[in-house]
Amino acid sequence: MTRRGAWAATAVVCSALFLIGLDFTVLNVAIPGLRQDLGPSMAETQWIVDGYALTLGACVLAAGTLSDSYGRRRAFLAGLAICALASLGGALADSPAQVVAARCGMGLGAALFMPATLATIAHVFREAAADRRRAMSLWAAVAGIGTLTGPVAGGWLVEHSSWRAAFWLNVPVALAVFAVAVVFVPESTGPRPRPLDRAGALLSSGGLLALVWGIIEAPGRGWLSGPVLAAFAVAAVLMAVFAWWQRRCPAPMLPPAVARDGGVGAASVALALMSFAVFGAMFIVTLYLQQVRGMSPLEAGLRITPLSVGLAVGAGAAAVVSKRYGARASVTAGLVLIAAGCAVLAGDTQVLAFEGLAGFGAGLVAPVATETLMAAVPEESSGLGSALNDASRQVGSTLGVAVLGSVLATVSTGDSAPVAAGGDAFVRGMAAAAWTAAALTLAGAALAWFRLPGPEGTPGRSSAGETSSVPEPLPVQGLTPEAVRRP
């Protein structure tokens, strides 16, 4: 493929990636209108917001395996078609349950085509390392900016139409990207197709679903109630069995060689905590701006835009910081800035300062952690690497909305309807949620400092205690190091 063709394919997959990010947050500012129209409870509202990311995060690893085995363009096109159909269902929904189902269907479609985006970039630039790094940085920036553009688009649509327009928007966009992808996106597969780990997919999906259900339902039912404790117990058992099964399955969904690598683990945790703090806090901030500050949906959406600006600036700075000081410095500094932003939000409800600090911090984290993770996985299994990157982000986002939303509900009202609480009560709940995000993000910064590679001559430590300044591609599915080494 020519260089021009490779960049054309990159533009197409990044367009689809922008749609994924947009869908994740486009409903945030539309929630008040949706609640007025369909009357969902706060728990149902969290499921509407979380259903998309939860399904995406739960299914994306299995989808990455499928795309490597049966064709990344096929998966990309199938996912776009499913996303368009599910969006149509959401636009026509007349009950909260139907909206949740539509959001889950959109997440399933996104899970199919999201791994193919990064895997396609790795494929078309497999012999051009410099262009591949630039394209991956662009990918990371588009992923963040798409998510942060959602509230603005949603606010405009709600003011000029209704919350249903947030679903109608996807149908023509998905179909247009589908048509262009047929022309510009090449087909690619791994040289050795891997069978789908069905048991692993069911165990991981079930464990995540049980965990999120327990977190969302806890404020209303009680954190120590029988159903909530049972959900947490089921989640722990399923995830423990999943870890056991991955060590014994002949074709695991998450190969042990990848899971054991300290750099891969630290990069995945960094991406998850970045998404947890930034997008979980953004869910609460959009409610705060409308329910407490009295802003319109469009005003609230526009107030979120500094996050996008900060992320874009941070992504540009990340290339300079990581090249000079290593991935360790860029990711650690980014997580510390996100924690500082959350602390400012908790202390003085300074939304603008939070957005600037957290946005810039996310820009420092996202492209560098993504490149670190992808560099450790062979090109032949780039769908797996992309899926692991995507799962980290989406699981983090899902837990961010669930955990921080539940902290908000518990502290502000003690029940499942914090948006009905007075302004002072809401601010107390928001502060508690922001402090929670700050503490977890700081813990992630410490992990990144000790596990990610530093500059040449100052390497980070791997999980085995050995040092390496550049991650080597890991053997997957029994391939030898020579067979999987990137060009």
Side-chain angles (χ1 to χ4, degrees):
M1 172 171 282
T2 65
R3 189 169 184 262
R4 179 177 295 180
W7 279 108
T10 299
V12 174
V13 298
C14 283
S15 298
L17 183 68
F18 184 85
L19 181 63
I20 291 177
L22 190 71
D23 285 342
F24 179 67
T25 55
V26 71
L27 277 181
N28 281 15
V29 294
I31 290 300
L34 188 151
R35 287 173 63 87
Q36 184 177 6
D37 189 9
L38 300 182
S41 66
M42 183 58 187
E44 288 174 324
T45 300
Q46 285 180 271
W47 280 113
I48 289 171
V49 174
D50 251 353
Y52 177 78
L54 174 61
T55 308
L56 200 168
C59 298
V60 72
L61 279 175
T65 299
L66 287 174
S67 68
D68 280 339
S69 301
Y70 300 107
R72 292 155 188 157
R73 187 174 73 166
R74 289 189 182 92
F76 186 79
L77 296 176
L80 284 170
I82 292 172
C83 188
L85 288 173
S87 298
L88 181 62
L92 300 174
D94 57 10
S95 72
Q98 291 176 357
V99 178
V100 172
R103 292 281 287 173
C104 290
M106 292 164 63
L108 176 61
L112 274 173
F113 73 77
M114 192 173 188
T117 60
L118 200 53
T120 296
I121 290 173
H123 171 71
V124 298
F125 289 117
R126 62 188 181 277
E127 297 180 0
D131 279 344
R132 184 173 63 241
R133 285 193 295 271
R134 295 188 191 98
M136 287 185 178
S137 294
L138 175 64
W139 184 97
V142 169
I145 292 172
T147 303
L148 298 174
T149 302
V152 180
W156 188 89
L157 290 170
V158 169
E159 290 205 357
H160 289 80
S161 181
S162 75
W163 62 267
R164 298 180 187 274
F167 288 98
W168 283 117
L169 170 69
N170 289 333
V171 179
V173 174
L175 294 178
V177 175
F178 184 103
V180 178
V182 171
V183 178
F184 290 104
V185 176
E187 184 60 279
S188 64
T189 60
R192 300 185 183 183
R194 296 185 297 143
L196 176 63
D197 178 12
R198 294 181 177 84
L202 290 174
L203 288 167
S204 61
S205 301
L208 181 62
L209 178 62
L211 176 62
V212 172
W213 187 91
I215 292 171
I216 288 178
E217 295 294 327
R221 296 173 181 266
W223 286 91
L224 298 179
S225 66
V228 170
L229 291 178
F232 290 151
V234 168
V237 170
L238 290 178
M239 296 311 294
V241 175
F242 171 74
W244 172 86
W245 173 248
Q246 294 304 284
R247 293 193 297 270
R248 287 157 178 79
C249 177
M253 187 169 69
L254 182 60
V258 175
R260 286 193 301 266
D261 184 84
V264 170
S268 298
V269 170
L271 288 167
L273 288 176
M274 174 200 75
S275 299
F276 178 99
V278 173
F279 300 119
M282 189 171 72
F283 168 69
I284 294 175
V285 166
T286 53
L287 288 176
Y288 166 76
L289 293 175
Q290 294 181 83
Q291 300 296 329
V292 178
R293 300 284 295 275
M295 294 185 180
S296 70
L298 181 57
E299 288 173 333
L302 290 172
R303 189 64 179 270
I304 299 295
T305 53
L307 264 171
S308 299
V309 176
L311 193 148
V313 175
V320 177
V321 174
S322 62
K323 183 177 180 179
R324 183 168 183 178
Y325 301 107
R328 178 174 63 192
S330 184
V331 173
T332 302
L335 291 173
V336 169
L337 285 174
I338 293 172
C342 291
V344 169
L345 182 65
D348 299 313
T349 63
Q350 294 295 319
V351 173
L352 185 61
F354 158 73
E355 291 171 348
L357 289 168
F360 189 83
L364 287 176
V365 172
V368 178
T370 295
E371 186 177 349
T372 299
L373 195 155
M374 290 299 292
V377 179
E379 193 275 331
E380 290 83 354
S381 297
S382 55
L384 168 67
S386 178
L388 184 57
N389 172 79
D390 303 336
S392 301
R393 291 166 177 263
Q394 299 307 320
V395 169
S397 300
T398 300
L399 293 177
V401 173
V403 172
L404 300 187
S406 292
V407 171
L408 169 69
T410 300
V411 174
S412 63
T413 66
D415 58 36
S416 59
V419 294
D424 291 342
F426 191 101
V427 169
R428 286 196 302 272
M430 184 170 69
W435 282 124
T436 301
L440 291 173
T441 308
L442 280 179
L447 177 66
W449 180 258
F450 287 108
R451 290 298 187 186
L452 290 177
E456 292 187 13
T458 316
R461 290 192 174 274
S462 69
S463 57
E466 297 175 351
T467 58
S468 61
S469 58
V470 180
E472 290 290 333
L474 296 167
V476 178
Q477 277 296 104
L479 297 180
T480 64
E482 291 76 14
V484 300
R485 194 175 303 279
R486 291 180 187 268

